[in-house]
Amino acid sequence: MTRVCFALLLAGATLCLAPPARGDADADKKEALRRGYEADQLYSKGAWDAAYDGFAAADALVHSPVFVIYMAHCRRNVGRLLEAEALYQRVAAEKLADDASAPFRGAVAEARAELAKLQASIPEVKLAISGAA
């Protein structure tokens, strides 16, 4: 996903973010958006771990499947495939409201597609033990 596409997704998604259970909702939304943009800058530079931390901090303030799918991308990009799988599963299983925004719906659809590709690429080890009682 391009940076411009991410910026549009994030801006649109932020308008629909679920209100946080604590504090000033508008301030939390603005801070989550700021952290999301900072994380996107890091993501575009390939700073996967720092970008992950930024997206996680943004999501901790105000949940967005857009933040979580980028967290999954970050984990996948550093080879932490099982963590990426769990994050993609989390987004893919998310129950959205009927009036959920297009970016939220897009994140869920993308998570399902990425999950299928990722699961096909996760290595497996099979052991066959013979001769032991």
Side-chain angles (χ1 to χ4, degrees):
M1 184 175 298
T2 67
R3 289 175 30 91
V4 172
C5 187
F6 173 82
L8 293 174
L9 262 177
L10 189 57
T14 302
L15 297 174
C16 303
L17 292 173
R22 54 156 193 77
D24 180 4
D26 288 336
D28 285 348
K29 284 183 182 182
K30 286 179 185 177
E31 181 63 13
L33 183 58
R34 184 188 70 75
R35 289 180 185 209
Y37 281 125
E38 284 180 359
D40 180 49
Q41 293 290 319
L42 294 165
Y43 185 90
S44 70
K45 295 175 184 173
W48 312 122
D49 289 328
Y52 173 90
D53 291 342
F55 289 123
D59 193 63
L61 282 170
V62 182
H63 172 64
S64 167
V66 175
F67 294 145
V68 181
I69 198 156
Y70 273 88
M71 291 164 58
H73 295 335
C74 290
R75 287 302 187 232
R76 177 200 61 207
N77 291 346
V78 295
R80 296 170 79 166
L81 303 182
L82 297 179
E83 289 179 42
E85 179 184 36
L87 290 163
Y88 285 131
Q89 286 174 335
R90 184 172 136 198
V91 177
E94 192 152 336
K95 303 293 183 220
L96 298 177
D98 291 339
D99 63 346
S101 68
F104 279 29
R105 291 187 184 285
V108 170
E110 183 180 352
R112 290 177 180 152
E114 289 294 326
L115 181 59
K117 287 192 296 188
L118 180 69
Q119 287 174 331
S121 70
I122 294 175
E124 291 182 15
V125 175
K126 294 184 181 182
L127 295 175
I129 301 173
S130 61

